[in-house]
Amino acid sequence: SAAIRRNEIICVWGDFDVDGQTSTTVLVQTFRALGARVVYYIPIRGKESHGVHIESLKPILNNGAKLIVTCDTGITAHEAIDYANSRDVNVVVTDHHDLGETLPNAKAIVNPKLLSENHPLKNLAGVGVAYKLAEALLRSDDFSHLTSATEVAATLLDLVALGLIADVALLKGETRSLAQKGIQTLRNTK
């Protein structure tokens, strides 16, 4: 929320699969609803593969991004995150992939693999993690003046269902609930 208040450019860095694209869209739409200056980047599958790559990150930082928020990627992007840090750019990692031996030096890491085995959020795919971040931002005191926060969160549920189902997430606990709500939302979209 500090980056939004300071009118800094926020870059959402996603992935090219359905989970990554829906995650990216969830966060971009949320940041836009909050009045943020937001850009996004999705790697080109044939050229870059998965992950955060310094060569693709450089032009984004050169164009003024001050915060990178990853979605469905980033948990093993040590080198790229260290590079961003060296440029005084904060990185928030949202990902659901397996943790490496060490965690990257990000400002914050949101990953359900850090939760206990029986936690209701343990099975979230990347889009579920992005949605939980979106919910938290939309409900935060910093943006309580926005009366449309609940409406914005509800409009994202169709994307959440698409990403969860396409990523073959285990539909249990909160993941099942989000998929059910998202399917209902899909039935009523334009």
Side-chain angles (χ1 to χ4, degrees), residues 17 22 36 49 54 67 70-71 76 83 100 105-106 130-131 135 146 155 170-171:
D17 65 3
T22 54
S49 189
I54 292 175
L67 173 64
T70 74
C71 49
T76 59
Y83 174 75
N105 191 22
Y131 181 74
E135 272 188 326
L146 295 175
T155 65
L170 178 61
L171 299 181

Side-chain angles (χ1 to χ4, degrees), residues 131 134-135 138-139 143 146-157:
Y131 181 74
E135 272 188 326
L138 289 163
R139 291 181 178 159
F143 304 109
L146 295 175
T147 56
S148 62
T150 305
E151 292 172 28
V152 171
T155 65
L156 302 171
L157 287 168

